Coordinates of all heavy atoms in Angstrom, one line a residue:
N123 N 174.1 183.9 -43.2 CA 172.9 183.7 -42.3 C 173.2 184.6 -41.2 O 174.3 184.9 -40.8 CB 172.9 182.3 -41.7 CG 172.9 181.2 -42.9 OD1 171.9 181.1 -43.6 ND2 173.9 180.3 -42.8
Y124 N 172.0 185.0 -40.4 CA 172.1 185.9 -39.4 C 171.2 185.3 -38.3 O 170.1 185.0 -38.5 CB 171.7 187.3 -39.6 CG 172.4 187.9 -40.8 CD1 172.0 187.7 -42.1 CD2 173.5 188.7 -40.6 CE1 172.7 188.3 -43.2 CE2 174.3 189.2 -41.7 CZ 173.7 189.0 -43.0 OH 174.5 189.6 -44.0
A125 N 171.8 185.2 -37.0 CA 170.9 184.6 -36.0 C 171.2 185.3 -34.7 O 172.3 185.7 -34.3 CB 171.3 183.1 -35.8
F126 N 170.0 185.6 -34.0 CA 170.1 186.1 -32.6 C 169.6 185.0 -31.7 O 168.5 184.6 -31.7 CB 169.3 187.3 -32.5 CG 169.2 188.0 -31.1 CD1 170.3 188.6 -30.6 CD2 168.1 188.0 -30.3 CE1 170.2 189.2 -29.4 CE2 168.0 188.5 -29.1 CZ 169.1 189.1 -28.5
V127 N 170.4 184.5 -30.7 CA 170.2 183.4 -29.9 C 169.9 183.9 -28.5 O 170.7 184.5 -28.0 CB 171.3 182.3 -30.0 CG1 170.9 181.1 -29.1 CG2 171.7 182.0 -31.3
T128 N 168.8 183.6 -27.9 CA 168.5 184.0 -26.6 C 169.3 183.2 -25.5 O 169.5 182.0 -25.8 CB 167.1 184.0 -26.2 OG1 166.9 184.6 -24.9 CG2 166.4 182.6 -26.1
V129 N 169.7 183.9 -24.5 CA 170.3 183.2 -23.3 C 169.3 183.2 -22.2 O 169.6 182.7 -21.1 CB 171.6 183.9 -22.9 CG1 172.7 183.8 -23.9 CG2 171.4 185.3 -22.5
D130 N 168.0 183.6 -22.5 CA 166.9 183.7 -21.5 C 165.7 183.0 -22.0 O 164.7 183.7 -22.3 CB 166.7 185.2 -21.3 CG 165.7 185.4 -20.2 OD1 165.4 184.5 -19.4 OD2 165.3 186.6 -20.0
P131 N 165.7 181.7 -22.3 CA 164.6 181.0 -22.9 C 163.3 181.1 -22.1 O 162.2 181.0 -22.6 CB 165.0 179.7 -23.2 CG 166.1 179.4 -22.1 CD 166.8 180.7 -22.0
E132 N 163.5 181.3 -20.8 CA 162.3 181.3 -19.9 C 161.4 182.4 -20.2 O 160.1 182.3 -20.3 CB 163.0 181.6 -18.5 CG 162.1 181.3 -17.3 CD 162.8 181.6 -16.0 OE1 164.0 181.3 -15.8 OE2 162.2 182.2 -15.1
R133 N 161.9 183.6 -20.6 CA 161.1 184.8 -21.0 C 161.0 184.9 -22.5 O 160.0 185.5 -23.0 CB 161.7 186.1 -20.4 CG 161.4 186.1 -18.9 CD 161.9 187.5 -18.3 NE 163.3 187.7 -18.4 CZ 164.0 188.7 -17.7 NH1 163.3 189.3 -16.7 NH2 165.2 188.8 -17.9
D134 N 162.1 184.6 -23.2 CA 162.1 184.7 -24.6 C 161.5 183.6 -25.4 O 162.2 182.6 -26.0 CB 163.6 184.9 -25.1 CG 164.0 186.3 -24.7 OD1 163.2 187.3 -24.5 OD2 165.3 186.5 -24.7
T135 N 160.2 183.5 -25.4 CA 159.5 182.4 -26.2 C 159.7 182.8 -27.7 O 160.0 183.9 -28.0 CB 158.0 182.5 -25.8 OG1 157.5 183.8 -26.2 CG2 157.7 182.2 -24.4
P136 N 159.2 181.8 -28.6 CA 159.4 182.1 -30.0 C 158.7 183.4 -30.4 O 159.2 184.3 -31.2 CB 158.8 180.9 -30.6 CG 159.1 179.8 -29.6 CD 158.9 180.4 -28.3
D137 N 157.4 183.7 -29.9 CA 156.7 184.9 -30.2 C 157.4 186.2 -29.8 O 157.5 187.1 -30.6 CB 155.3 184.9 -29.5 CG 154.3 183.9 -30.2 OD1 154.8 183.3 -31.2 OD2 153.2 183.8 -29.7
V138 N 157.9 186.1 -28.5 CA 158.7 187.3 -28.0 C 159.9 187.6 -28.9 O 160.2 188.7 -29.3 CB 159.0 187.0 -26.6 CG1 160.0 188.2 -26.1 CG2 157.8 186.9 -25.7

Side-chain angles (χ1 to χ4, degrees):
N123 303 300
Y124 305 87
F126 178 72
V127 185
T128 187
V129 296
D130 184 15
E132 199 178 319
R133 292 185 295 199
D134 288 341
T135 61
D137 283 359
V138 170

